[in-house]
Amino acid sequence: MRTRASKALALGAALIVATLVMNSAFADGMQKFKIRFAGGFVQNIQQLQVDTMGQPTGVENRNIVIGKGIGTLGRVDVMGVGFSGPPESDTLCPDGLIKVADIVENNLVLTFNDLSLLYGNGTGVVCFDPLNPTAPPSAEIEGTWDGGTGRFANAGGTWSSQFDFFEPVGVATQFAAEAGWIEGYLTRSRNED
C-alpha cells in the first residue's frame, strides 16, 4: 500500500513539474519542440460532402493517421485527418521530386499523458521519386497550432511534419505503417498565462 501511494505521489509531482516547465517556457513567449512518432495510416476514405440543406454535393477522399510519439513535450497520442487533392498549388517538392498531390487540409489533435490537448491545421505536398519508382510517395506538411486545453490553452505557433518511413501493410490495402517527426515552435502571449 505504501509503495502504491509513493508511486502516485511521484507521478503527481512529475506532472506538476512538467506543467511548471511548460508554463515557464511559454512565459518566454516561445518554445521549440520535436516529437518522433510512429503509427498507422489509412488513405482514401470516401466521405460524402453535403450542402447547407443536407443535399449531397460529391464525394471526397480523406485519410487518417493514428500514432504514438515522444519528444520535448512528453509522450503523446497523435491523431490526424487530412484531405488531398490534385496538384494545383504552386508549392514544390524538395530535391527534384515530382508532386503527385496537394495536401489541402491536415488537422491534428495531440493528446498528452496529462490529458492536455494541442490542435493544429496544415497543408503540404505528396511527392514521388522518379529515380525510385517502387518507393512509396513521401509527404511534407506545414501548419499552425490553433490552441488546445490544459497546458496548451491559447497555444499558437508553427509546425512541420515529415515522414522517414512509409510501408504498405498487406496486399491491395489502403493501410500503411509510418514513422516521422513533428517539429516547430509553440507560443502563447504573456497576458494569457
Side-chain angles (χ1 to χ4, degrees), residues 21-135:
V21 168
M22 180 60 64
N23 285 339
S24 66
F26 275 146
D28 294 337
M30 182 180 301
Q31 180 184 11
K32 185 175 182 177
F33 71 91
K34 184 170 186 175
I35 300 169
R36 295 271 312 140
F37 73 89
F41 176 78
V42 182
Q43 59 186 342
N44 298 332
I45 302 168
Q46 292 189 344
Q47 180 177 359
L48 180 66
Q49 299 298 306
V50 295
D51 63 18
T52 56
M53 302 299 290
Q55 298 300 311
T57 59
V59 175
E60 292 180 347
N61 285 331
R62 299 272 174 177
N63 57 65
I64 189 169
V65 62
I66 299 173
K68 296 212 172 272
I70 189 166
T72 312
L73 306 173
R75 293 190 178 276
V76 62
D77 290 325
V78 178
M79 173 74 114
V81 177
F83 165 61
S84 300
E88 297 174 353
S89 77
D90 58 0
T91 306
L92 299 176
C93 289
D95 304 323
L97 300 180
I98 297 170
K99 181 165 62 170
V100 294
D102 278 312
I103 300 172
V104 178
E105 181 179 14
N106 190 82
N107 304 114
L108 284 178
V109 175
L110 304 183
T111 306
F112 293 84
N113 277 355
D114 65 354
L115 300 183
S116 292
L117 300 173
L118 182 59
Y119 316 130
N121 187 19
T123 60
V125 292
V126 178
C127 305
F128 173 74
D129 184 355
L131 300 177
N132 189 2
T134 59

